[in-house]
Coordinates of all heavy atoms in Angstrom, one line a residue:
L21 N 238.2 67.6 4.9 CA 239.6 67.9 5.3 C 240.6 67.0 4.6 O 241.6 67.5 4.1 CB 239.7 67.7 6.8 CG 241.1 68.0 7.4 CD1 241.5 69.4 7.3 CD2 241.2 67.5 8.9
L22 N 240.3 65.7 4.5 CA 241.2 64.8 3.8 C 241.4 65.0 2.3 O 242.3 64.6 1.7 CB 240.8 63.3 4.1 CG 241.0 62.9 5.5 CD1 240.4 61.5 5.7 CD2 242.5 62.9 5.9
Q23 N 240.4 65.8 1.8 CA 240.5 66.1 0.3 C 241.4 67.3 0.1 O 241.9 67.4 -1.0 CB 239.1 66.3 -0.2 CG 238.2 65.0 -0.2 CD 236.8 65.3 -0.6 OE1 236.4 66.4 -0.7 NE2 236.1 64.2 -0.8
T24 N 241.6 68.1 1.1 CA 242.3 69.3 0.8 C 243.6 69.4 1.6 O 244.5 70.2 1.4 CB 241.5 70.6 1.2 OG1 241.1 70.5 2.6 CG2 240.3 70.7 0.3
Q25 N 243.8 68.5 2.6 CA 245.0 68.5 3.5 C 245.6 67.1 3.5 O 244.9 66.1 3.5 CB 244.6 68.9 4.9 CG 243.9 70.2 5.1 CD 244.8 71.4 5.0 OE1 245.9 71.3 5.5 NE2 244.4 72.5 4.4
H26 N 246.9 67.1 3.7 CA 247.6 65.8 3.9 C 247.5 65.5 5.4 O 247.8 66.3 6.3 CB 249.1 65.9 3.6 CG 249.9 64.7 3.9 ND1 249.8 63.5 3.2 CD2 250.7 64.4 5.0 CE1 250.5 62.6 3.7 NE2 251.1 63.1 4.8
V27 N 247.1 64.3 5.7 CA 246.9 63.8 7.1 C 247.8 62.6 7.3 O 247.7 61.6 6.5 CB 245.4 63.5 7.4 CG1 245.3 62.9 8.8 CG2 244.6 64.7 7.2
D28 N 248.6 62.6 8.3 CA 249.5 61.5 8.6 C 248.9 60.3 9.4 O 249.3 59.2 9.3 CB 250.8 61.9 9.3 CG 251.6 62.9 8.4 OD1 251.8 62.6 7.3 OD2 252.0 63.9 8.9
L29 N 247.9 60.7 10.2 CA 247.3 59.7 11.2 C 245.9 60.2 11.5 O 245.7 61.4 11.8 CB 248.2 59.7 12.4 CG 247.7 58.9 13.6 CD1 247.5 57.4 13.3 CD2 248.6 59.1 14.8
V30 N 245.0 59.3 11.6 CA 243.6 59.6 12.1 C 243.4 59.0 13.4 O 243.6 57.8 13.6 CB 242.6 59.2 11.0 CG1 241.1 59.4 11.6 CG2 242.7 59.9 9.7
I31 N 242.9 59.8 14.4 CA 242.6 59.3 15.7 C 241.1 59.6 15.9 O 240.7 60.8 15.8 CB 243.5 59.9 16.8 CG1 244.9 59.6 16.5 CG2 243.1 59.4 18.2 CD1 245.9 60.3 17.4
S32 N 240.3 58.6 16.3 CA 238.9 58.8 16.4 C 238.4 58.0 17.6 O 239.0 56.9 17.9 CB 238.2 58.5 15.1 OG 236.8 58.6 15.3
D33 N 237.3 58.4 18.1 CA 236.6 57.5 19.1 C 235.8 56.5 18.3 O 235.4 56.7 17.2 CB 235.6 58.4 20.0 CG 235.3 57.7 21.3 OD1 234.8 56.6 21.2 OD2 235.6 58.3 22.3
V34 N 235.5 55.3 18.9 CA 234.7 54.3 18.3 C 233.3 54.7 18.3 O 232.5 54.5 17.3 CB 234.9 52.9 19.1 CG1 233.9 51.9 18.6 CG2 236.3 52.4 18.9
M35 N 232.8 55.3 19.4 CA 231.4 55.7 19.5 C 231.2 57.1 19.1 O 231.8 58.0 19.8 CB 230.9 55.5 21.0 CG 231.0 54.1 21.5 SD 230.0 52.9 20.6 CE 228.4 53.4 21.1
M36 N 230.5 57.3 18.0 CA 230.2 58.7 17.5 C 228.7 58.8 17.2 O 228.1 57.8 17.0 CB 231.0 59.0 16.3 CG 232.5 58.9 16.5 SD 233.5 59.3 15.0 CE 233.3 57.9 14.1
P37 N 228.2 60.0 17.2 CA 226.7 60.1 17.1 C 226.1 59.6 15.8 O 225.1 59.0 15.7 CB 226.5 61.6 17.3 CG 227.7 62.2 17.7 CD 228.8 61.2 17.5
K38 N 226.8 59.9 14.6 CA 226.2 59.6 13.4 C 226.8 58.3 12.7 O 226.2 57.8 11.7 CB 226.3 60.8 12.4 CG 225.5 61.9 12.9 CD 225.5 63.1 12.0 CE 224.6 64.2 12.6 NZ 224.5 65.3 11.6
M39 N 228.0 57.9 13.1 CA 228.7 56.8 12.4 C 229.6 56.1 13.4 O 230.4 56.8 14.1 CB 229.5 57.3 11.2 CG 230.2 56.2 10.4 SD 231.2 56.8 9.1 CE 230.0 57.6 8.0
Q40 N 229.5 54.8 13.6 CA 230.4 54.1 14.5 C 231.8 54.1 13.9 O 232.0 54.2 12.7 CB 229.9 52.7 14.7 CG 228.6 52.5 15.4 CD 228.7 53.1 16.8 OE1 229.6 52.8 17.5 NE2 227.7 53.8 17.2
G41 N 232.8 54.0 14.8 CA 234.2 54.0 14.4 C 234.6 53.0 13.3 O 235.3 53.3 12.4
T42 N 234.0 51.8 13.4 CA 234.3 50.8 12.5 C 233.8 51.1 11.1 O 234.5 51.0 10.1 CB 233.8 49.4 12.9 OG1 232.4 49.5 13.1 CG2 234.4 48.9 14.1
R43 N 232.6 51.7 11.0 CA 232.1 52.2 9.7 C 232.9 53.3 9.2 O 233.2 53.5 8.0 CB 230.6 52.5 9.9 CG 230.0 53.0 8.6 CD 229.8 51.9 7.6 NE 229.3 52.5 6.3 CZ 230.0 52.5 5.2 NH1 231.2 51.9 5.1 NH2 229.5 53.1 4.1
F44 N 233.3 54.2 10.1 CA 234.1 55.4 9.7 C 235.4 54.9 9.1 O 235.9 55.4 8.1 CB 234.4 56.2 11.0 CG 235.5 57.3 10.8 CD1 235.2 58.4 10.0 CD2 236.7 57.2 11.4 CE1 236.2 59.3 9.8 CE2 237.7 58.1 11.2 CZ 237.4 59.2 10.4
V45 N 236.1 53.9 9.7 CA 237.3 53.4 9.1 C 237.1 52.8 7.8 O 237.9 53.0 6.8 CB 238.0 52.4 10.1 CG1 239.2 51.7 9.5 CG2 238.4 53.0 11.4
E46 N 236.0 52.0 7.6 CA 235.7 51.5 6.3 C 235.6 52.6 5.2 O 236.1 52.5 4.1 CB 234.4 50.6 6.3 CG 234.6 49.3 7.1 CD 233.2 48.7 7.3 OE1 232.2 49.1 6.7 OE2 233.1 47.7 8.0
H47 N 234.8 53.6 5.6 CA 234.6 54.7 4.7 C 235.9 55.4 4.4 O 236.2 55.7 3.2 CB 233.6 55.7 5.3 CG 233.3 56.9 4.4 ND1 232.5 56.8 3.3 CD2 233.6 58.2 4.5 CE1 232.4 58.0 2.8 NE2 233.1 58.8 3.5
L48 N 236.7 55.7 5.4 CA 238.0 56.4 5.3 C 238.9 55.6 4.3 O 239.5 56.2 3.4 CB 238.6 56.6 6.6 CG 240.0 57.2 6.7 CD1 240.0 58.6 6.2 CD2 240.6 57.1 8.1
R49 N 239.0 54.3 4.6 CA 239.9 53.5 3.8 C 239.5 53.3 2.4 O 240.3 53.0 1.5 CB 240.0 52.1 4.5 CG 240.8 52.1 5.8 CD 242.3 52.1 5.6 NE 243.1 52.4 6.7 CZ 243.3 51.6 7.8 NH1 242.8 50.4 7.8 NH2 244.1 52.0 8.8
S50 N 238.2 53.5 2.1 CA 237.8 53.4 0.7 C 238.4 54.6 -0.2 O 238.6 54.5 -1.4 CB 236.2 53.4 0.6 OG 235.7 54.7 0.9
F51 N 238.7 55.7 0.5 CA 239.3 56.8 -0.2 C 240.8 57.0 0.1 O 241.6 57.5 -0.7 CB 238.6 58.1 0.2 CG 237.2 58.2 -0.2 CD1 236.2 57.9 0.7 CD2 236.8 58.5 -1.5 CE1 234.8 57.9 0.4 CE2 235.5 58.6 -1.9 CZ 234.5 58.3 -0.9
H52 N 241.2 56.5 1.3 CA 242.6 56.7 1.7 C 243.1 55.3 2.3 O 243.2 55.2 3.5 CB 242.8 57.8 2.7 CG 242.3 59.1 2.2 ND1 243.1 59.9 1.4 CD2 241.1 59.7 2.4 CE1 242.4 61.0 1.1 NE2 241.2 60.9 1.7
P53 N 243.4 54.3 1.4 CA 243.6 53.0 2.0 C 244.8 52.8 2.9 O 244.9 52.0 3.7 CB 243.8 52.1 0.7 CG 244.0 53.1 -0.4 CD 243.4 54.4 0.0
G54 N 245.8 53.7 2.7 CA 247.1 53.5 3.5 C 247.2 54.3 4.8 O 248.1 54.2 5.5
I55 N 246.2 55.1 5.1 CA 246.3 56.0 6.2 C 246.1 55.2 7.5 O 245.2 54.4 7.7 CB 245.3 57.1 6.1 CG1 245.6 58.3 7.1 CG2 243.9 56.6 6.4 CD1 244.9 59.5 6.8
P56 N 247.1 55.4 8.5 CA 246.9 54.7 9.7 C 245.8 55.3 10.6 O 245.6 56.5 10.6 CB 248.3 54.9 10.4 CG 248.9 56.1 9.7 CD 248.3 56.2 8.4
V57 N 245.1 54.4 11.3 CA 244.0 54.9 12.1 C 244.1 54.3 13.5 O 244.4 53.1 13.7 CB 242.7 54.4 11.5 CG1 241.5 54.8 12.4 CG2 242.5 54.9 10.1
M58 N 243.8 55.1 14.5 CA 243.7 54.7 15.9 C 242.3 55.0 16.4 O 241.9 56.1 16.3 CB 244.7 55.4 16.8 CG 244.6 54.9 18.3 SD 245.5 56.0 19.5 CE 247.2 56.0 18.8
L59 N 241.7 54.0 16.9 CA 240.3 54.1 17.5 C 240.4 54.0 19.0 O 241.0 53.1 19.5 CB 239.4 53.1 17.0 CG 239.0 53.1 15.5 CD1 238.1 52.0 15.1 CD2 238.4 54.5 15.1
I60 N 239.8 55.0 19.7 CA 239.8 55.1 21.1 C 238.5 54.6 21.6 O 237.4 55.0 21.1 CB 240.1 56.5 21.6 CG1 241.5 56.9 21.1 CG2 240.0 56.6 23.1 CD1 241.9 58.4 21.3
T61 N 238.5 53.7 22.6 CA 237.2 53.2 23.1 C 237.2 52.9 24.6 O 238.2 52.5 25.1 CB 236.8 51.9 22.3 OG1 235.6 51.4 22.8 CG2 237.9 50.8 22.5
G62 N 236.1 53.1 25.2 CA 235.9 52.7 26.6 C 235.1 51.4 26.7 O 234.8 51.0 27.8
Y63 N 234.7 50.9 25.6 CA 233.9 49.7 25.5 C 234.6 48.4 25.2 O 234.1 47.3 25.5 CB 232.8 49.9 24.5 CG 231.9 51.1 24.9 CD1 232.1 52.3 24.3 CD2 230.9 50.9 25.8 CE1 231.3 53.4 24.7 CE2 230.1 52.0 26.2 CZ 230.3 53.2 25.6 OH 229.5 54.3 25.9
L64 N 235.7 48.5 24.5 CA 236.4 47.2 24.1 C 237.8 47.2 24.7 O 238.5 48.3 24.8 CB 236.6 47.2 22.6 CG 235.4 47.1 21.8 CD1 235.7 47.3 20.3 CD2 234.6 45.8 22.0
S65 N 238.3 46.1 25.1 CA 239.7 46.0 25.5 C 240.5 46.0 24.3 O 240.0 45.8 23.2 CB 239.9 44.7 26.3 OG 239.8 43.6 25.4
E66 N 241.8 46.2 24.4 CA 242.7 46.2 23.3 C 242.7 44.8 22.6 O 242.6 44.7 21.3 CB 244.1 46.5 23.7 CG 245.1 46.6 22.6 CD 246.5 47.1 23.1 OE1 246.7 47.3 24.3 OE2 247.4 47.2 22.2
V67 N 242.6 43.7 23.3 CA 242.6 42.4 22.8 C 241.3 42.2 22.0 O 241.3 41.7 20.8 CB 242.8 41.3 23.8 CG1 242.5 39.9 23.3 CG2 244.1 41.4 24.5
S68 N 240.1 42.5 22.6 CA 238.9 42.2 21.9 C 238.7 43.2 20.7 O 238.2 42.8 19.7 CB 237.7 42.3 22.9 OG 237.6 43.6 23.4
G69 N 239.2 44.4 20.8 CA 239.2 45.3 19.7 C 240.0 44.8 18.5 O 239.5 44.9 17.4
K70 N 241.1 44.3 18.8 CA 242.0 43.7 17.7 C 241.3 42.5 17.1 O 241.4 42.3 15.9 CB 243.3 43.3 18.2 CG 244.2 44.5 18.4 CD 245.6 44.2 18.8 CE 246.4 45.4 19.0 NZ 247.8 45.2 19.3
N71 N 240.6 41.7 17.9 CA 239.9 40.6 17.3 C 238.7 41.0 16.4 O 238.5 40.5 15.3 CB 239.3 39.7 18.4 CG 240.4 38.9 19.1 OD1 241.5 38.7 18.6 ND2 240.1 38.5 20.3
I72 N 238.0 42.1 16.8 CA 236.9 42.6 16.0 C 237.4 43.3 14.8 O 236.8 43.1 13.7 CB 236.0 43.5 16.9 CG1 235.3 42.7 18.0 CG2 235.0 44.3 16.1 CD1 234.7 43.5 19.0
L73 N 238.4 44.1 14.9 CA 238.8 44.9 13.8 C 239.9 44.2 12.9 O 240.2 44.7 11.8 CB 239.4 46.3 14.3 CG 238.4 47.2 15.0 CD1 239.0 48.4 15.6 CD2 237.4 47.6 13.9
Q74 N 240.4 43.1 13.3 CA 241.3 42.3 12.6 C 242.4 43.2 11.9 O 242.6 43.2 10.7 CB 240.6 41.5 11.5 CG 239.6 40.6 12.1 CD 238.8 39.8 11.1 OE1 238.9 40.0 9.9 NE2 237.9 39.0 11.6
D75 N 243.1 44.0 12.7 CA 244.2 44.8 12.3 C 243.8 45.9 11.3 O 244.6 46.4 10.5 CB 245.3 44.0 11.7 CG 245.9 43.1 12.8 OD1 246.0 43.6 14.0 OD2 246.3 42.0 12.5
V76 N 242.5 46.3 11.2 CA 242.1 47.4 10.4 C 242.5 48.7 11.0 O 242.8 49.7 10.3 CB 240.6 47.4 10.1 CG1 240.0 48.6 9.5 CG2 240.2 46.1 9.4
A77 N 242.5 48.8 12.3 CA 242.9 50.0 13.1 C 243.5 49.6 14.4 O 243.2 48.5 14.9 CB 241.6 50.9 13.3
E78 N 244.3 50.5 14.9 CA 244.8 50.3 16.3 C 243.7 50.6 17.3 O 242.9 51.5 17.0 CB 246.0 51.2 16.6 CG 247.3 50.7 16.0 CD 247.8 49.5 16.6 OE1 247.7 49.3 17.9 OE2 248.3 48.6 15.9
I79 N 243.7 49.9 18.4 CA 242.7 50.2 19.4 C 243.4 50.7 20.6 O 244.5 50.2 21.1 CB 241.9 48.9 19.8 CG1 241.0 48.4 18.7 CG2 241.1 49.1 21.1 CD1 239.9 49.3 18.4
M80 N 242.9 51.8 21.2 CA 243.5 52.4 22.4 C 242.3 52.4 23.4 O 241.4 53.2 23.3 CB 244.0 53.8 22.2 CG 244.6 54.5 23.4 SD 246.1 53.8 24.1 CE 247.2 53.6 22.7
P81 N 242.4 51.6 24.5 CA 241.3 51.5 25.4 C 241.4 52.8 26.4 O 242.4 53.3 26.6 CB 241.6 50.3 26.2 CG 243.0 50.0 26.0 CD 243.4 50.6 24.7
K82 N 240.2 53.2 26.8 CA 240.1 54.2 27.8 C 240.1 53.6 29.2 O 239.5 52.5 29.3 CB 238.8 55.0 27.7 CG 238.7 55.8 26.4 CD 237.4 56.5 26.3 CE 237.2 57.3 25.0 NZ 235.9 57.9 24.9
P83 N 240.6 54.2 30.2 CA 241.3 55.4 30.2 C 242.6 55.3 29.5 O 243.2 54.2 29.5 CB 241.5 55.8 31.7 CG 241.4 54.5 32.4 CD 240.5 53.6 31.6
I84 N 243.0 56.3 28.8 CA 244.2 56.3 28.0 C 245.5 56.4 28.9 O 245.6 57.2 29.7 CB 244.2 57.4 27.0 CG1 243.1 57.2 26.0 CG2 245.6 57.5 26.2 CD1 242.9 58.3 25.0
D85 N 246.4 55.4 28.6 CA 247.7 55.4 29.2 C 248.6 56.3 28.3 O 248.8 55.9 27.1 CB 248.2 54.0 29.3 CG 249.7 53.9 29.8 OD1 250.6 54.4 29.1 OD2 249.9 53.4 30.9
L86 N 249.1 57.4 28.8 CA 249.8 58.4 27.9 C 251.0 57.8 27.3 O 251.4 58.1 26.1 CB 250.1 59.7 28.7 CG 248.9 60.5 29.0 CD1 249.3 61.8 29.7 CD2 248.2 60.9 27.7
D87 N 251.8 57.0 28.0 CA 253.0 56.3 27.5 C 252.6 55.4 26.3 O 253.2 55.4 25.3 CB 253.8 55.6 28.5 CG 254.4 56.5 29.5 OD1 254.8 57.7 29.1 OD2 254.6 56.1 30.7
A88 N 251.5 54.6 26.5 CA 251.1 53.7 25.4 C 250.6 54.5 24.2 O 250.8 54.1 23.1 CB 250.0 52.8 26.0
F89 N 249.9 55.6 24.5 CA 249.4 56.5 23.4 C 250.5 57.0 22.6 O 250.5 56.9 21.4 CB 248.5 57.6 24.0 CG 247.9 58.5 23.0 CD1 246.7 58.2 22.4 CD2 248.6 59.7 22.7 CE1 246.2 59.0 21.5 CE2 248.0 60.5 21.7 CZ 246.8 60.2 21.1
R90 N 251.5 57.6 23.3 CA 252.7 58.1 22.6 C 253.4 57.1 21.8 O 253.8 57.3 20.6 CB 253.7 58.8 23.6 CG 253.3 60.1 24.1 CD 254.4 60.7 25.0 NE 253.8 61.6 25.9 CZ 253.6 61.4 27.2 NH1 253.9 60.3 27.8 NH2 253.1 62.3 28.0
S91 N 253.6 55.9 22.4 CA 254.4 54.9 21.6 C 253.6 54.4 20.4 O 254.1 54.1 19.4 CB 254.8 53.8 22.5 OG 253.7 53.1 23.1
T92 N 252.3 54.3 20.6 CA 251.4 53.8 19.5 C 251.4 54.8 18.4 O 251.5 54.5 17.2 CB 250.0 53.5 20.0 OG1 250.1 52.5 21.0 CG2 249.1 53.0 18.8
V93 N 251.3 56.1 18.7 CA 251.3 57.1 17.7 C 252.6 57.1 16.9 O 252.7 57.2 15.7 CB 251.0 58.5 18.3 CG1 251.4 59.7 17.3 CG2 249.6 58.6 18.7
K94 N 253.7 57.0 17.7 CA 255.1 57.0 17.1 C 255.2 55.8 16.1 O 255.7 55.9 15.0 CB 256.1 57.0 18.1 CG 257.5 56.9 17.6 CD 258.6 56.9 18.6 CE 260.0 57.0 18.1 NZ 260.3 56.5 16.8
R95 N 254.8 54.6 16.6 CA 254.9 53.4 15.8 C 254.0 53.5 14.5 O 254.5 53.2 13.4 CB 254.4 52.2 16.6 CG 254.5 50.9 15.8 CD 254.2 49.7 16.7 NE 253.0 49.8 17.5 CZ 251.8 49.7 17.1 NH1 251.5 49.4 15.8 NH2 250.8 49.8 18.0
L96 N 252.8 54.0 14.6 CA 251.9 54.2 13.4 C 252.6 55.2 12.4 O 252.5 54.9 11.2 CB 250.5 54.7 13.9 CG 249.7 53.6 14.6 CD1 248.4 54.3 15.1 CD2 249.4 52.5 13.7
L97 N 253.1 56.3 12.9 CA 253.7 57.3 12.0 C 255.0 56.7 11.4 O 255.2 56.9 10.2 CB 254.0 58.6 12.8 CG 252.8 59.4 13.2 CD1 253.2 60.5 14.1 CD2 252.0 59.8 12.0
D98 N 255.8 56.0 12.2 CA 257.0 55.4 11.7 C 256.7 54.4 10.6 O 257.3 54.3 9.6 CB 257.9 54.8 12.8 CG 258.5 55.8 13.7 OD1 258.5 57.0 13.4 OD2 259.0 55.4 14.8
N99 N 255.7 53.5 10.9 CA 255.3 52.5 9.9 C 254.7 53.1 8.6 O 255.0 52.6 7.5 CB 254.3 51.5 10.5 CG 254.9 50.6 11.6 OD1 256.1 50.5 11.7 ND2 254.0 50.0 12.3
S100 N 254.0 54.2 8.7 CA 253.4 54.8 7.5 C 254.5 55.5 6.7 O 254.4 55.5 5.5 CB 252.3 55.7 7.9 OG 252.7 56.9 8.5
A101 N 255.5 56.0 7.4 CA 256.6 56.6 6.7 C 257.5 55.6 5.9 O 258.0 56.0 4.8 CB 257.5 57.4 7.6
T102 N 257.5 54.4 6.3 CA 258.3 53.4 5.7 C 257.5 52.5 4.7 O 258.1 51.8 3.9 CB 259.0 52.4 6.7 OG1 258.0 51.8 7.4 CG2 260.0 53.2 7.6
A103 N 256.2 52.7 4.7 CA 255.3 51.9 3.8 C 255.3 52.5 2.4 O 255.6 53.5 2.1 CB 253.9 51.9 4.4

């Protein structure tokens, strides 16, 4: 999809059947270094996720707070537009 379509933001779960979210972000960034990424997880808090990912991706803990989700998406899109 990323080879044929322009994507402004990638949102993914951390836990996936064939590739963990952190590995997915590494793979994604090797081809698209500037694309913003949000990882959703029920296993890590926002603080511990940021410590582990060291600002490689935004962490959104489950259950998702819709206001936090909206503001994070807006911030990521705004930041990528100005980068």
Side-chain angles (χ1 to χ4, degrees):
L21 178 67
L22 291 173
Q23 294 174 347
T24 60
Q25 303 281 325
H26 174 77
V27 176
D28 294 314
L29 171 65
V30 173
I31 301 172
S32 176
D33 202 302
V34 170
M35 300 298 289
M36 297 183 287
K38 295 186 180 185
M39 183 184 297
Q40 294 297 316
T42 53
R43 178 70 186 117
F44 169 71
V45 173
E46 290 172 8
H47 181 74
L48 175 67
R49 291 277 168 77
S50 69
F51 296 100
H52 303 281
I55 195 164
V57 178
M58 180 193 302
L59 294 177
I60 299 172
T61 181
Y63 297 97
L64 298 172
S65 71
E66 186 174 359
V67 171
S68 62
K70 285 184 180 184
N71 288 337
I72 292 168
L73 294 172
Q74 300 175 0
D75 296 324
V76 171
E78 281 292 320
I79 292 292
M80 179 65 52
K82 293 178 186 177
I84 294 174
D85 175 293
L86 289 180
D87 290 331
F89 182 84
R90 283 186 204 103
S91 66
T92 301
V93 167
K94 181 179 182 339
R95 180 174 45 79
L96 290 171
L97 291 174
D98 289 348
N99 289 346
S100 71
T102 59

